[in-house]
Amino acid sequence: DIQMTQSPSSLSASVGDRVTITCRATQNIRSYMNWYQQKPGKAPKLLISGASSLQTGVPSRFSGSGSGTDFTLTISSLQPEDFATYYCQHTYSTTWTFGQGTKVEVK
Amino acid sequence: QVTLRESGPALVKPTQTLTLTCTFSGFSLNASGMCVNWIRQPPGKALEWLARIDWDDAKHYSTSLKTRLTVSKDTSKNEVVLTMTSVDPVDTATYYCARIYYSPISGWSGFDSWGQGTLVTVSS
């Protein structure tokens, strides 16, 4: 199975900061990468599909990049509502996996 | 409007079989490219993809759990059912169903709609 490794597992940041989360796959997954945001007690929310396609209604401060094995989720200017846990997830091959998550906390 | 809702027992005893139902609306699982997935999340831990059933009745399972999982659909009722055999306390988690669809033009959509999740506790 393809494994996804996210880094960091957690980070502390302030409102207005630029935040970058990375995800590495154990093999080439082309652009079959999605990113989700999850807040406590809630279902995850899809932010980005196909590595870089922003979902309708998601603020433009979120962006995704990468292909192959290395991917990045960037929040250009962190807002109070962005403190949450973020997950990467691939849709390459027939069995799928999530990364272990990155918790973005208040500094 | 797409909605999904999970239902099933809140408490299951070890070694028993867990059966969960996902009831959905706003889309058809007969439509080409449409799929429903099961995903779980143990308390305080990461998401884990479990299984997927496709519009053409193809089924795919997590490698680590495939011997214990079965997914099926009833398109007349707009339901997808997941059964998990021989449950153990480590299977305690919130179980979600989520939709994904495939387009030959844009590829996989990502899990764009989720149920609210149902917490299942495995304990004697």
Side-chain angles (χ1 to χ4, degrees), chain A residues 1 32 34 36 38 42-44 46 49 87 89 91 94-96 98 100, chain B residues 37 41 45-47 49 52 60-61 63 96 108-111 114-115:
Chain A
D1 285 3
Y32 290 96
N34 308 307
Y36 302 86
Q38 188 180 32
K42 300 293 186 182
L46 178 65
S49 62
Y87 292 93
Q89 178 252 336
T91 47
T94 56
T95 58
W96 299 338
F98 287 88
Q100 79 275 21
Chain B
N37 296 259
Q41 185 172 37
K45 296 189 177 182
L47 299 163
W49 177 81
R52 180 178 104 235
H60 306 277
Y61 299 100
T63 301
Y96 296 98
W108 288 106
S109 65
F111 301 128
W114 295 67

PDB file of all heavy atoms in Angstrom, chain A residues 1 32 34 36 38 42-44 46 49 87 89 91 94-96 98 100, chain B residues 37 41 45-47 49 52 60-61 63 96 108-111 114-115:
ATOM      1  N   ASP A   1       0.831  -1.198   0.000  1.00  0.00           N
ATOM      2  CA  ASP A   1       0.000   0.000   0.000  1.00  0.00           C
ATOM      3  C   ASP A   1       0.872   1.257   0.000  1.00  0.00           C
ATOM      4  O   ASP A   1       1.971   1.268   0.537  1.00  0.00           O
ATOM      5  CB  ASP A   1      -0.890   0.024   1.240  1.00  0.00           C
ATOM      6  CG  ASP A   1      -2.053  -0.946   1.138  1.00  0.00           C
ATOM      7  OD1 ASP A   1      -2.123  -1.683   0.125  1.00  0.00           O
ATOM      8  OD2 ASP A   1      -2.878  -0.973   2.069  1.00  0.00           O
ATOM      9  N   TYR A  32      -2.868  12.668  -7.709  1.00  0.00           N
ATOM     10  CA  TYR A  32      -4.035  12.118  -7.015  1.00  0.00           C
ATOM     11  C   TYR A  32      -3.954  12.387  -5.512  1.00  0.00           C
ATOM     12  O   TYR A  32      -3.910  11.465  -4.698  1.00  0.00           O
ATOM     13  CB  TYR A  32      -4.169  10.629  -7.305  1.00  0.00           C
ATOM     14  CG  TYR A  32      -4.566  10.330  -8.729  1.00  0.00           C
ATOM     15  CD1 TYR A  32      -3.598  10.016  -9.687  1.00  0.00           C
ATOM     16  CD2 TYR A  32      -5.897  10.355  -9.117  1.00  0.00           C
ATOM     17  CE1 TYR A  32      -3.953   9.742 -10.992  1.00  0.00           C
ATOM     18  CE2 TYR A  32      -6.263  10.081 -10.425  1.00  0.00           C
ATOM     19  CZ  TYR A  32      -5.284   9.777 -11.359  1.00  0.00           C
ATOM     20  OH  TYR A  32      -5.644   9.502 -12.652  1.00  0.00           O
ATOM     21  N   ASN A  34      -5.489  14.798  -2.212  1.00  0.00           N
ATOM     22  CA  ASN A  34      -6.535  15.661  -1.677  1.00  0.00           C
ATOM     23  C   ASN A  34      -6.139  16.134  -0.286  1.00  0.00           C
ATOM     24  O   ASN A  34      -5.380  15.462   0.421  1.00  0.00           O
ATOM     25  CB  ASN A  34      -7.862  14.904  -1.595  1.00  0.00           C
ATOM     26  CG  ASN A  34      -8.231  14.253  -2.904  1.00  0.00           C
ATOM     27  OD1 ASN A  34      -8.266  14.903  -3.948  1.00  0.00           O
ATOM     28  ND2 ASN A  34      -8.487  12.957  -2.875  1.00  0.00           N
ATOM     29  N   TYR A  36      -7.799  17.868   3.412  1.00  0.00           N
ATOM     30  CA  TYR A  36      -9.005  18.068   4.214  1.00  0.00           C
ATOM     31  C   TYR A  36      -8.666  18.860   5.469  1.00  0.00           C
ATOM     32  O   TYR A  36      -7.555  18.777   5.993  1.00  0.00           O
ATOM     33  CB  TYR A  36      -9.605  16.714   4.634  1.00  0.00           C
ATOM     34  CG  TYR A  36      -9.952  15.828   3.467  1.00  0.00           C
ATOM     35  CD1 TYR A  36      -9.000  15.003   2.894  1.00  0.00           C
ATOM     36  CD2 TYR A  36     -11.234  15.829   2.930  1.00  0.00           C
ATOM     37  CE1 TYR A  36      -9.296  14.201   1.814  1.00  0.00           C
ATOM     38  CE2 TYR A  36     -11.554  15.026   1.846  1.00  0.00           C
ATOM     39  CZ  TYR A  36     -10.573  14.223   1.299  1.00  0.00           C
ATOM     40  OH  TYR A  36     -10.891  13.431   0.218  1.00  0.00           O
ATOM     41  N   GLN A  38     -10.217  19.392   9.390  1.00  0.00           N
ATOM     42  CA  GLN A  38     -11.146  18.844  10.369  1.00  0.00           C
ATOM     43  C   GLN A  38     -11.083  19.628  11.667  1.00  0.00           C
ATOM     44  O   GLN A  38     -10.004  19.843  12.223  1.00  0.00           O
ATOM     45  CB  GLN A  38     -10.867  17.363  10.646  1.00  0.00           C
ATOM     46  CG  GLN A  38     -11.944  16.721  11.521  1.00  0.00           C
ATOM     47  CD  GLN A  38     -11.693  15.249  11.807  1.00  0.00           C
ATOM     48  OE1 GLN A  38     -10.549  14.814  11.900  1.00  0.00           O
ATOM     49  NE2 GLN A  38     -12.765  14.473  11.937  1.00  0.00           N
ATOM     50  N   LYS A  42     -16.257  17.371  14.352  1.00  0.00           N
ATOM     51  CA  LYS A  42     -16.883  17.548  13.046  1.00  0.00           C
ATOM     52  C   LYS A  42     -16.285  16.605  12.017  1.00  0.00           C
ATOM     53  O   LYS A  42     -15.157  16.122  12.170  1.00  0.00           O
ATOM     54  CB  LYS A  42     -16.696  18.986  12.551  1.00  0.00           C
ATOM     55  CG  LYS A  42     -17.296  20.045  13.455  1.00  0.00           C
ATOM     56  CD  LYS A  42     -18.803  19.962  13.479  1.00  0.00           C
ATOM     57  CE  LYS A  42     -19.416  21.122  14.260  1.00  0.00           C
ATOM     58  NZ  LYS A  42     -20.885  21.023  14.336  1.00  0.00           N
ATOM     59  N   ALA A  43     -17.058  16.350  10.952  1.00  0.00           N
ATOM     60  CA  ALA A  43     -16.521  15.586   9.837  1.00  0.00           C
ATOM     61  C   ALA A  43     -15.501  16.426   9.083  1.00  0.00           C
ATOM     62  O   ALA A  43     -15.572  17.663   9.099  1.00  0.00           O
ATOM     63  CB  ALA A  43     -17.646  15.168   8.890  1.00  0.00           C
ATOM     64  N   PRO A  44     -14.546  15.784   8.440  1.00  0.00           N
ATOM     65  CA  PRO A  44     -13.582  16.534   7.624  1.00  0.00           C
ATOM     66  C   PRO A  44     -14.279  17.289   6.491  1.00  0.00           C
ATOM     67  O   PRO A  44     -15.366  16.914   6.041  1.00  0.00           O
ATOM     68  CB  PRO A  44     -12.665  15.429   7.075  1.00  0.00           C
ATOM     69  CG  PRO A  44     -12.790  14.316   8.056  1.00  0.00           C
ATOM     70  CD  PRO A  44     -14.227  14.359   8.501  1.00  0.00           C
ATOM     71  N   LEU A  46     -13.466  18.837   2.613  1.00  0.00           N
ATOM     72  CA  LEU A  46     -12.553  18.823   1.478  1.00  0.00           C
ATOM     73  C   LEU A  46     -12.138  20.243   1.101  1.00  0.00           C
ATOM     74  O   LEU A  46     -12.998  21.103   0.865  1.00  0.00           O
ATOM     75  CB  LEU A  46     -13.233  18.133   0.289  1.00  0.00           C
ATOM     76  CG  LEU A  46     -12.449  18.068  -1.022  1.00  0.00           C
ATOM     77  CD1 LEU A  46     -11.186  17.206  -0.863  1.00  0.00           C
ATOM     78  CD2 LEU A  46     -13.323  17.520  -2.141  1.00  0.00           C
ATOM     79  N   SER A  49      -8.623  19.152  -4.177  1.00  0.00           N
ATOM     80  CA  SER A  49      -8.550  17.855  -4.846  1.00  0.00           C
ATOM     81  C   SER A  49      -7.575  17.952  -6.013  1.00  0.00           C
ATOM     82  O   SER A  49      -7.226  19.064  -6.452  1.00  0.00           O
ATOM     83  CB  SER A  49      -9.933  17.416  -5.329  1.00  0.00           C
ATOM     84  OG  SER A  49     -10.435  18.329  -6.285  1.00  0.00           O
ATOM     85  N   TYR A  87      -5.457  16.960   6.915  1.00  0.00           N
ATOM     86  CA  TYR A  87      -5.074  15.628   6.448  1.00  0.00           C
ATOM     87  C   TYR A  87      -4.868  15.624   4.944  1.00  0.00           C
ATOM     88  O   TYR A  87      -5.658  16.222   4.195  1.00  0.00           O
ATOM     89  CB  TYR A  87      -6.166  14.598   6.763  1.00  0.00           C
ATOM     90  CG  TYR A  87      -6.362  14.310   8.223  1.00  0.00           C
ATOM     91  CD1 TYR A  87      -7.314  15.009   8.966  1.00  0.00           C
ATOM     92  CD2 TYR A  87      -5.612  13.331   8.877  1.00  0.00           C
ATOM     93  CE1 TYR A  87      -7.507  14.746  10.313  1.00  0.00           C
ATOM     94  CE2 TYR A  87      -5.801  13.061  10.223  1.00  0.00           C
ATOM     95  CZ  TYR A  87      -6.752  13.775  10.931  1.00  0.00           C
ATOM     96  OH  TYR A  87      -6.928  13.505  12.270  1.00  0.00           O
ATOM     97  N   GLN A  89      -4.590  12.912   1.614  1.00  0.00           N
ATOM     98  CA  GLN A  89      -5.179  11.616   1.272  1.00  0.00           C
ATOM     99  C   GLN A  89      -5.007  11.392  -0.225  1.00  0.00           C
ATOM    100  O   GLN A  89      -5.226  12.299  -1.018  1.00  0.00           O
ATOM    101  CB  GLN A  89      -6.678  11.607   1.615  1.00  0.00           C
ATOM    102  CG  GLN A  89      -7.412  10.337   1.272  1.00  0.00           C
ATOM    103  CD  GLN A  89      -8.347  10.489   0.091  1.00  0.00           C
ATOM    104  OE1 GLN A  89      -8.802  11.593  -0.225  1.00  0.00           O
ATOM    105  NE2 GLN A  89      -8.664   9.393  -0.586  1.00  0.00           N
ATOM    106  N   THR A  91      -5.740   9.232  -3.886  1.00  0.00           N
ATOM    107  CA  THR A  91      -6.720   8.412  -4.601  1.00  0.00           C
ATOM    108  C   THR A  91      -6.051   7.715  -5.782  1.00  0.00           C
ATOM    109  O   THR A  91      -6.644   7.548  -6.853  1.00  0.00           O
ATOM    110  CB  THR A  91      -7.919   9.249  -5.074  1.00  0.00           C
ATOM    111  OG1 THR A  91      -7.440  10.442  -5.691  1.00  0.00           O
ATOM    112  CG2 THR A  91      -8.841   9.596  -3.932  1.00  0.00           C
ATOM    113  N   THR A  94      -6.208   1.341  -6.049  1.00  0.00           N
ATOM    114  CA  THR A  94      -7.563   0.972  -5.618  1.00  0.00           C
ATOM    115  C   THR A  94      -7.738   1.003  -4.109  1.00  0.00           C
ATOM    116  O   THR A  94      -8.869   0.909  -3.625  1.00  0.00           O
ATOM    117  CB  THR A  94      -7.916  -0.432  -6.129  1.00  0.00           C
ATOM    118  OG1 THR A  94      -6.928  -1.348  -5.679  1.00  0.00           O
ATOM    119  CG2 THR A  94      -8.009  -0.446  -7.641  1.00  0.00           C
ATOM    120  N   THR A  95      -6.637   1.103  -3.366  1.00  0.00           N
ATOM    121  CA  THR A  95      -6.754   1.253  -1.914  1.00  0.00           C
ATOM    122  C   THR A  95      -6.138   2.582  -1.535  1.00  0.00           C
ATOM    123  O   THR A  95      -5.067   2.953  -2.022  1.00  0.00           O
ATOM    124  CB  THR A  95      -6.041   0.105  -1.172  1.00  0.00           C
ATOM    125  OG1 THR A  95      -4.672   0.083  -1.558  1.00  0.00           O
ATOM    126  CG2 THR A  95      -6.682  -1.225  -1.500  1.00  0.00           C
ATOM    127  N   TRP A  96      -6.831   3.294  -0.706  1.00  0.00           N
ATOM    128  CA  TRP A  96      -6.473   4.674  -0.405  1.00  0.00           C
ATOM    129  C   TRP A  96      -6.023   4.832   1.036  1.00  0.00           C
ATOM    130  O   TRP A  96      -6.443   4.055   1.904  1.00  0.00           O
ATOM    131  CB  TRP A  96      -7.666   5.588  -0.691  1.00  0.00           C
ATOM    132  CG  TRP A  96      -8.099   5.559  -2.130  1.00  0.00           C
ATOM    133  CD1 TRP A  96      -7.339   5.187  -3.217  1.00  0.00           C
ATOM    134  CD2 TRP A  96      -9.367   5.928  -2.647  1.00  0.00           C
ATOM    135  NE1 TRP A  96      -8.075   5.308  -4.373  1.00  0.00           N
ATOM    136  CE2 TRP A  96      -9.314   5.770  -4.054  1.00  0.00           C
ATOM    137  CE3 TRP A  96     -10.547   6.393  -2.084  1.00  0.00           C
ATOM    138  CZ2 TRP A  96     -10.398   6.054  -4.882  1.00  0.00           C
ATOM    139  CZ3 TRP A  96     -11.626   6.669  -2.906  1.00  0.00           C
ATOM    140  CH2 TRP A  96     -11.557   6.500  -4.287  1.00  0.00           C
ATOM    141  N   PHE A  98      -4.823   7.933   4.230  1.00  0.00           N
ATOM    142  CA  PHE A  98      -4.678   9.293   4.736  1.00  0.00           C
ATOM    143  C   PHE A  98      -3.300   9.451   5.369  1.00  0.00           C
ATOM    144  O   PHE A  98      -2.710   8.475   5.854  1.00  0.00           O
ATOM    145  CB  PHE A  98      -5.723   9.578   5.814  1.00  0.00           C
ATOM    146  CG  PHE A  98      -7.135   9.753   5.305  1.00  0.00           C
ATOM    147  CD1 PHE A  98      -7.970   8.655   5.157  1.00  0.00           C
ATOM    148  CD2 PHE A  98      -7.634  11.011   5.013  1.00  0.00           C
ATOM    149  CE1 PHE A  98      -9.284   8.806   4.712  1.00  0.00           C
ATOM    150  CE2 PHE A  98      -8.940  11.178   4.570  1.00  0.00           C
ATOM    151  CZ  PHE A  98      -9.762  10.068   4.415  1.00  0.00           C
ATOM    152  N   GLN A 100      -1.183  11.152   8.596  1.00  0.00           N
ATOM    153  CA  GLN A 100      -1.476  11.060  10.026  1.00  0.00           C
ATOM    154  C   GLN A 100      -2.002  12.354  10.621  1.00  0.00           C
ATOM    155  O   GLN A 100      -2.374  12.394  11.794  1.00  0.00           O
ATOM    156  CB  GLN A 100      -0.231  10.590  10.797  1.00  0.00           C
ATOM    157  CG  GLN A 100       0.800  11.667  11.059  1.00  0.00           C
ATOM    158  CD  GLN A 100       1.766  11.879   9.900  1.00  0.00           C
ATOM    159  OE1 GLN A 100       1.487  11.533   8.753  1.00  0.00           O
ATOM    160  NE2 GLN A 100       2.901  12.441  10.215  1.00  0.00           N
TER     161      GLN A 100
ATOM    162  N   ASN B  37     -17.876   5.615   0.313  1.00  0.00           N
ATOM    163  CA  ASN B  37     -16.766   5.078   1.088  1.00  0.00           C
ATOM    164  C   ASN B  37     -17.120   5.018   2.575  1.00  0.00           C
ATOM    165  O   ASN B  37     -17.971   5.769   3.053  1.00  0.00           O
ATOM    166  CB  ASN B  37     -15.548   6.005   0.958  1.00  0.00           C
ATOM    167  CG  ASN B  37     -15.037   6.083  -0.455  1.00  0.00           C
ATOM    168  OD1 ASN B  37     -14.056   5.459  -0.810  1.00  0.00           O
ATOM    169  ND2 ASN B  37     -15.712   6.883  -1.276  1.00  0.00           N
ATOM    170  N   GLN B  41     -12.336   6.893  12.476  1.00  0.00           N
ATOM    171  CA  GLN B  41     -11.388   7.710  13.226  1.00  0.00           C
ATOM    172  C   GLN B  41     -11.467   7.337  14.698  1.00  0.00           C
ATOM    173  O   GLN B  41     -12.424   7.732  15.384  1.00  0.00           O
ATOM    174  CB  GLN B  41     -11.698   9.200  13.025  1.00  0.00           C
ATOM    175  CG  GLN B  41     -10.687  10.122  13.662  1.00  0.00           C
ATOM    176  CD  GLN B  41     -10.924  11.563  13.264  1.00  0.00           C
ATOM    177  OE1 GLN B  41     -12.053  12.023  13.131  1.00  0.00           O
ATOM    178  NE2 GLN B  41      -9.837  12.289  13.041  1.00  0.00           N
ATOM    179  N   LYS B  45      -7.320  10.148  17.158  1.00  0.00           N
ATOM    180  CA  LYS B  45      -6.367   9.634  16.180  1.00  0.00           C
ATOM    181  C   LYS B  45      -6.731  10.050  14.758  1.00  0.00           C
ATOM    182  O   LYS B  45      -7.687  10.790  14.537  1.00  0.00           O
ATOM    183  CB  LYS B  45      -6.277   8.115  16.299  1.00  0.00           C
ATOM    184  CG  LYS B  45      -5.718   7.649  17.644  1.00  0.00           C
ATOM    185  CD  LYS B  45      -5.437   6.162  17.664  1.00  0.00           C
ATOM    186  CE  LYS B  45      -4.823   5.749  18.988  1.00  0.00           C
ATOM    187  NZ  LYS B  45      -4.503   4.298  19.013  1.00  0.00           N
ATOM    188  N   ALA B  46      -5.960   9.547  13.805  1.00  0.00           N
ATOM    189  CA  ALA B  46      -6.113   9.963  12.417  1.00  0.00           C
ATOM    190  C   ALA B  46      -7.249   9.221  11.720  1.00  0.00           C
ATOM    191  O   ALA B  46      -7.755   8.198  12.187  1.00  0.00           O
ATOM    192  CB  ALA B  46      -4.807   9.735  11.664  1.00  0.00           C
ATOM    193  N   LEU B  47      -7.607   9.740  10.566  1.00  0.00           N
ATOM    194  CA  LEU B  47      -8.601   9.113   9.710  1.00  0.00           C
ATOM    195  C   LEU B  47      -8.017   7.856   9.066  1.00  0.00           C
ATOM    196  O   LEU B  47      -6.827   7.807   8.742  1.00  0.00           O
ATOM    197  CB  LEU B  47      -9.024  10.091   8.608  1.00  0.00           C
ATOM    198  CG  LEU B  47      -9.663  11.393   9.084  1.00  0.00           C
ATOM    199  CD1 LEU B  47      -9.656  12.424   7.966  1.00  0.00           C
ATOM    200  CD2 LEU B  47     -11.078  11.133   9.580  1.00  0.00           C
ATOM    201  N   TRP B  49      -9.125   5.134   5.945  1.00  0.00           N
ATOM    202  CA  TRP B  49     -10.041   4.681   4.888  1.00  0.00           C
ATOM    203  C   TRP B  49     -10.260   3.179   5.026  1.00  0.00           C
ATOM    204  O   TRP B  49      -9.299   2.416   5.188  1.00  0.00           O
ATOM    205  CB  TRP B  49      -9.448   5.006   3.520  1.00  0.00           C
ATOM    206  CG  TRP B  49     -10.276   4.530   2.380  1.00  0.00           C
ATOM    207  CD1 TRP B  49     -11.380   5.142   1.862  1.00  0.00           C
ATOM    208  CD2 TRP B  49     -10.074   3.342   1.609  1.00  0.00           C
ATOM    209  NE1 TRP B  49     -11.883   4.393   0.818  1.00  0.00           N
ATOM    210  CE2 TRP B  49     -11.099   3.290   0.644  1.00  0.00           C
ATOM    211  CE3 TRP B  49      -9.131   2.315   1.648  1.00  0.00           C
ATOM    212  CZ2 TRP B  49     -11.209   2.253  -0.278  1.00  0.00           C
ATOM    213  CZ3 TRP B  49      -9.229   1.286   0.735  1.00  0.00           C
ATOM    214  CH2 TRP B  49     -10.261   1.251  -0.219  1.00  0.00           C
ATOM    215  N   ARG B  52     -14.756   0.990  -0.166  1.00  0.00           N
ATOM    216  CA  ARG B  52     -15.469   1.775  -1.166  1.00  0.00           C
ATOM    217  C   ARG B  52     -16.324   0.831  -2.005  1.00  0.00           C
ATOM    218  O   ARG B  52     -15.902  -0.279  -2.323  1.00  0.00           O
ATOM    219  CB  ARG B  52     -14.463   2.488  -2.070  1.00  0.00           C
ATOM    220  CG  ARG B  52     -15.081   3.348  -3.149  1.00  0.00           C
ATOM    221  CD  ARG B  52     -14.006   4.048  -3.956  1.00  0.00           C
ATOM    222  NE  ARG B  52     -13.779   3.447  -5.259  1.00  0.00           N
ATOM    223  CZ  ARG B  52     -12.595   3.030  -5.695  1.00  0.00           C
ATOM    224  NH1 ARG B  52     -11.544   3.100  -4.923  1.00  0.00           N
ATOM    225  NH2 ARG B  52     -12.488   2.526  -6.895  1.00  0.00           N
ATOM    226  N   HIS B  60     -13.811  -2.242  -2.978  1.00  0.00           N
ATOM    227  CA  HIS B  60     -12.405  -2.139  -2.666  1.00  0.00           C
ATOM    228  C   HIS B  60     -12.270  -1.996  -1.159  1.00  0.00           C
ATOM    229  O   HIS B  60     -13.077  -1.295  -0.526  1.00  0.00           O
ATOM    230  CB  HIS B  60     -11.784  -0.930  -3.361  1.00  0.00           C
ATOM    231  CG  HIS B  60     -12.019  -0.911  -4.831  1.00  0.00           C
ATOM    232  ND1 HIS B  60     -11.228  -1.622  -5.715  1.00  0.00           N
ATOM    233  CD2 HIS B  60     -12.967  -0.305  -5.574  1.00  0.00           C
ATOM    234  CE1 HIS B  60     -11.684  -1.437  -6.946  1.00  0.00           C
ATOM    235  NE2 HIS B  60     -12.744  -0.642  -6.894  1.00  0.00           N
ATOM    236  N   TYR B  61     -11.257  -2.649  -0.590  1.00  0.00           N
ATOM    237  CA  TYR B  61     -11.099  -2.683   0.861  1.00  0.00           C
ATOM    238  C   TYR B  61      -9.688  -2.338   1.285  1.00  0.00           C
ATOM    239  O   TYR B  61      -8.722  -2.606   0.564  1.00  0.00           O
ATOM    240  CB  TYR B  61     -11.430  -4.079   1.389  1.00  0.00           C
ATOM    241  CG  TYR B  61     -12.845  -4.531   1.122  1.00  0.00           C
ATOM    242  CD1 TYR B  61     -13.139  -5.395   0.070  1.00  0.00           C
ATOM    243  CD2 TYR B  61     -13.890  -4.089   1.923  1.00  0.00           C
ATOM    244  CE1 TYR B  61     -14.438  -5.810  -0.182  1.00  0.00           C
ATOM    245  CE2 TYR B  61     -15.201  -4.503   1.687  1.00  0.00           C
ATOM    246  CZ  TYR B  61     -15.460  -5.354   0.629  1.00  0.00           C
ATOM    247  OH  TYR B  61     -16.755  -5.759   0.390  1.00  0.00           O
ATOM    248  N   THR B  63      -6.296  -2.914   2.813  1.00  0.00           N
ATOM    249  CA  THR B  63      -5.528  -4.155   2.815  1.00  0.00           C
ATOM    250  C   THR B  63      -5.489  -4.786   4.199  1.00  0.00           C
ATOM    251  O   THR B  63      -5.630  -6.006   4.352  1.00  0.00           O
ATOM    252  CB  THR B  63      -4.107  -3.879   2.314  1.00  0.00           C
ATOM    253  OG1 THR B  63      -4.171  -3.338   0.995  1.00  0.00           O
ATOM    254  CG2 THR B  63      -3.273  -5.136   2.310  1.00  0.00           C
ATOM    255  N   TYR B  96     -17.491   7.092   9.551  1.00  0.00           N
ATOM    256  CA  TYR B  96     -18.095   8.015   8.592  1.00  0.00           C
ATOM    257  C   TYR B  96     -18.350   7.310   7.260  1.00  0.00           C
ATOM    258  O   TYR B  96     -17.551   6.452   6.849  1.00  0.00           O
ATOM    259  CB  TYR B  96     -17.149   9.177   8.282  1.00  0.00           C
ATOM    260  CG  TYR B  96     -16.807  10.105   9.407  1.00  0.00           C
ATOM    261  CD1 TYR B  96     -15.614   9.958  10.121  1.00  0.00           C
ATOM    262  CD2 TYR B  96     -17.638  11.171   9.742  1.00  0.00           C
ATOM    263  CE1 TYR B  96     -15.266  10.844  11.131  1.00  0.00           C
ATOM    264  CE2 TYR B  96     -17.295  12.067  10.748  1.00  0.00           C
ATOM    265  CZ  TYR B  96     -16.109  11.894  11.437  1.00  0.00           C
ATOM    266  OH  TYR B  96     -15.774  12.778  12.434  1.00  0.00           O
ATOM    267  N   TRP B 108     -10.638  11.988  -9.849  1.00  0.00           N
ATOM    268  CA  TRP B 108     -11.364  11.799  -8.607  1.00  0.00           C
ATOM    269  C   TRP B 108     -11.670  13.148  -7.950  1.00  0.00           C
ATOM    270  O   TRP B 108     -10.840  14.037  -7.920  1.00  0.00           O
ATOM    271  CB  TRP B 108     -10.559  10.940  -7.632  1.00  0.00           C
ATOM    272  CG  TRP B 108     -10.488   9.508  -8.020  1.00  0.00           C
ATOM    273  CD1 TRP B 108      -9.416   8.840  -8.540  1.00  0.00           C
ATOM    274  CD2 TRP B 108     -11.539   8.538  -7.911  1.00  0.00           C
ATOM    275  NE1 TRP B 108      -9.732   7.520  -8.769  1.00  0.00           N
ATOM    276  CE2 TRP B 108     -11.026   7.301  -8.391  1.00  0.00           C
ATOM    277  CE3 TRP B 108     -12.864   8.570  -7.460  1.00  0.00           C
ATOM    278  CZ2 TRP B 108     -11.791   6.126  -8.425  1.00  0.00           C
ATOM    279  CZ3 TRP B 108     -13.620   7.414  -7.493  1.00  0.00           C
ATOM    280  CH2 TRP B 108     -13.082   6.210  -7.972  1.00  0.00           C
ATOM    281  N   SER B 109     -12.848  13.225  -7.342  1.00  0.00           N
ATOM    282  CA  SER B 109     -13.324  14.488  -6.769  1.00  0.00           C
ATOM    283  C   SER B 109     -12.791  14.760  -5.373  1.00  0.00           C
ATOM    284  O   SER B 109     -12.865  15.886  -4.903  1.00  0.00           O
ATOM    285  CB  SER B 109     -14.846  14.456  -6.665  1.00  0.00           C
ATOM    286  OG  SER B 109     -15.252  13.457  -5.729  1.00  0.00           O
ATOM    287  N   GLY B 110     -12.305  13.734  -4.705  1.00  0.00           N
ATOM    288  CA  GLY B 110     -12.088  13.864  -3.264  1.00  0.00           C
ATOM    289  C   GLY B 110     -13.402  13.570  -2.540  1.00  0.00           C
ATOM    290  O   GLY B 110     -14.476  13.598  -3.143  1.00  0.00           O
ATOM    291  N   PHE B 111     -13.316  13.308  -1.234  1.00  0.00           N
ATOM    292  CA  PHE B 111     -14.525  13.033  -0.448  1.00  0.00           C
ATOM    293  C   PHE B 111     -15.227  14.360  -0.224  1.00  0.00           C
ATOM    294  O   PHE B 111     -14.906  15.091   0.713  1.00  0.00           O
ATOM    295  CB  PHE B 111     -14.164  12.370   0.876  1.00  0.00           C
ATOM    296  CG  PHE B 111     -13.410  11.069   0.729  1.00  0.00           C
ATOM    297  CD1 PHE B 111     -12.224  10.857   1.409  1.00  0.00           C
ATOM    298  CD2 PHE B 111     -13.897  10.044  -0.060  1.00  0.00           C
ATOM    299  CE1 PHE B 111     -11.527   9.661   1.274  1.00  0.00           C
ATOM    300  CE2 PHE B 111     -13.217   8.845  -0.197  1.00  0.00           C
ATOM    301  CZ  PHE B 111     -12.023   8.659   0.477  1.00  0.00           C
ATOM    302  N   TRP B 114     -19.798  14.275   3.449  1.00  0.00           N
ATOM    303  CA  TRP B 114     -19.610  13.342   4.555  1.00  0.00           C
ATOM    304  C   TRP B 114     -20.870  13.282   5.415  1.00  0.00           C
ATOM    305  O   TRP B 114     -21.592  14.268   5.542  1.00  0.00           O
ATOM    306  CB  TRP B 114     -18.463  13.806   5.452  1.00  0.00           C
ATOM    307  CG  TRP B 114     -17.099  13.824   4.836  1.00  0.00           C
ATOM    308  CD1 TRP B 114     -16.659  14.643   3.819  1.00  0.00           C
ATOM    309  CD2 TRP B 114     -15.977  13.033   5.230  1.00  0.00           C
ATOM    310  NE1 TRP B 114     -15.344  14.393   3.553  1.00  0.00           N
ATOM    311  CE2 TRP B 114     -14.892  13.424   4.399  1.00  0.00           C
ATOM    312  CE3 TRP B 114     -15.777  12.048   6.191  1.00  0.00           C
ATOM    313  CZ2 TRP B 114     -13.616  12.843   4.504  1.00  0.00           C
ATOM    314  CZ3 TRP B 114     -14.510  11.475   6.311  1.00  0.00           C
ATOM    315  CH2 TRP B 114     -13.454  11.867   5.470  1.00  0.00           C
ATOM    316  N   GLY B 115     -21.090  12.129   6.035  1.00  0.00           N
ATOM    317  CA  GLY B 115     -22.070  12.072   7.099  1.00  0.00           C
ATOM    318  C   GLY B 115     -21.501  12.715   8.352  1.00  0.00           C
ATOM    319  O   GLY B 115     -20.334  13.101   8.386  1.00  0.00           O
TER     320      GLY B 115
END
